[in-house]
Amino acid sequence: MIELDIDASGAIATITLNRPPANAWSLDGLRQLKATVEKLNADQRVRAIIVTGQGPKFFSAGADLNVMADGDKAVARDVAQRFGEAFATLQEARAVVIAAINGYAMGGGLECALSCDVRIAERHAQMALPEPSVGLLPAGCGTQTLPWLVGEGWAKRMILTNERVDADTALRIGLVEEVVDTGAALAKATEMAQRVTTLSPEGVAYSKQLIHAARQGVPRHAALSIEREKFVDLFDSPNQREGVNAFLEKRKPNWTTP
């Protein structure tokens, strides 16, 4: 299900969800996603990861419900664990993760996008967390991550009343950061990923950790203290000197990987 492509520079990786016809998640696909992100975490050259779906219609339709048709609680526990582990790994990836939402992102498909740092949706995309309509609930970060992005009210509208949102509504409520024409999400995500590669590796990595601190319940006073310490920690790397001197010398910085 997971296809991985890394550009010639080694800096931008693209993960494509490819399981026709709707790119629905299987347990094996979730294991593949977790393993792929862990592999990319270990490759310091990788600065940005793009996640997209194969085909013109689906980013991902979510979980393969055939797995849960028998009502087996042991299977349910395995499914919840696989979704949780895969999307937690994606959410905490070292690199910047950009979702190129090329179509329907439903249930676990939307939760995958929620686990990315930035979301770009094509104009025809539709997004929903319809799990309660089939006797389930979002178990891959949906109930916890969606309210951070859109607020409790819209999270409740989407989960508790099965409201589906289109791309323009998603942009208005903060569910996605940009809407592009049909077929343009991957190119826009690649453009954004290329911008990431122009920045300090440590500066980006530390900043991502700090942004996530509030979501993880770190009190503001403590987080501000960590922010100052991380600023000082940047001076352990030659990239700090390279970045400042490149600016003063009016040239592009030549970053080194940690």
Side-chain angles (χ1 to χ4, degrees), residues 112-150:
C112 178
L114 290 173
S115 301
C116 299
D117 296 311
V118 180
R119 284 152 295 280
I120 299 169
E122 294 184 8
R123 197 162 301 281
H124 67 289
Q126 298 279 321
M127 286 150 271
L129 291 177
E131 284 88 344
S133 71
V134 294
L136 302 171
L137 61 78
C141 83
T143 65
Q144 301 303 299
T145 305
L146 185 61
W148 278 99
L149 295 174
V150 304

Side-chain angles (χ1 to χ4, degrees), residues 111-251:
E111 288 178 306
C112 178
L114 290 173
S115 301
C116 299
D117 296 311
V118 180
R119 284 152 295 280
I120 299 169
E122 294 184 8
R123 197 162 301 281
H124 67 289
Q126 298 279 321
M127 286 150 271
L129 291 177
E131 284 88 344
S133 71
V134 294
L136 302 171
L137 61 78
C141 83
T143 65
Q144 301 303 299
T145 305
L146 185 61
W148 278 99
L149 295 174
V150 304
E152 184 177 294
W154 268 101
K156 286 180 174 178
R157 284 178 66 161
M158 292 181 67
I159 298 171
L160 305 185
T161 77
N162 195 22
E163 183 163 351
R164 180 183 299 187
V165 300
D166 59 19
D168 287 337
T169 301
L171 179 64
R172 178 168 58 84
I173 66 177
L175 179 53
V176 303
E177 282 66 54
E178 187 165 356
V179 174
V180 297
D181 290 336
T182 297
L186 183 57
K188 179 59 70 171
T190 301
E191 177 187 315
M192 186 177 291
Q194 288 169 341
R195 292 205 305 272
V196 173
T197 68
T198 68
L199 307 175
S200 157
E202 295 89 353
V204 169
Y206 289 174
S207 294
K208 178 173 174 175
Q209 293 168 17
L210 289 161
I211 292 169
H212 282 192
R215 179 184 295 178
Q216 295 163 351
V218 178
R220 179 175 173 81
H221 180 76
L224 290 173
S225 178
I226 297 170
E227 180 183 73
R228 294 190 290 270
E229 287 302 313
K230 286 294 185 182
F231 178 85
V232 175
D233 287 347
L234 291 172
F235 286 70
D236 291 333
S237 167
N239 282 330
Q240 177 275 321
R241 293 181 293 280
E242 172 62 16
V244 172
N245 285 303
F247 176 81
L248 295 174
E249 295 165 11
K250 296 180 172 56
R251 60 175 176 82

Side-chain angles (χ1 to χ4, degrees), residues 85-98:
E85 289 178 349
F87 294 162
T89 301
L90 184 63
Q91 192 164 345
E92 298 305 323
R94 175 186 50 77
V96 176
V97 186
I98 305 165

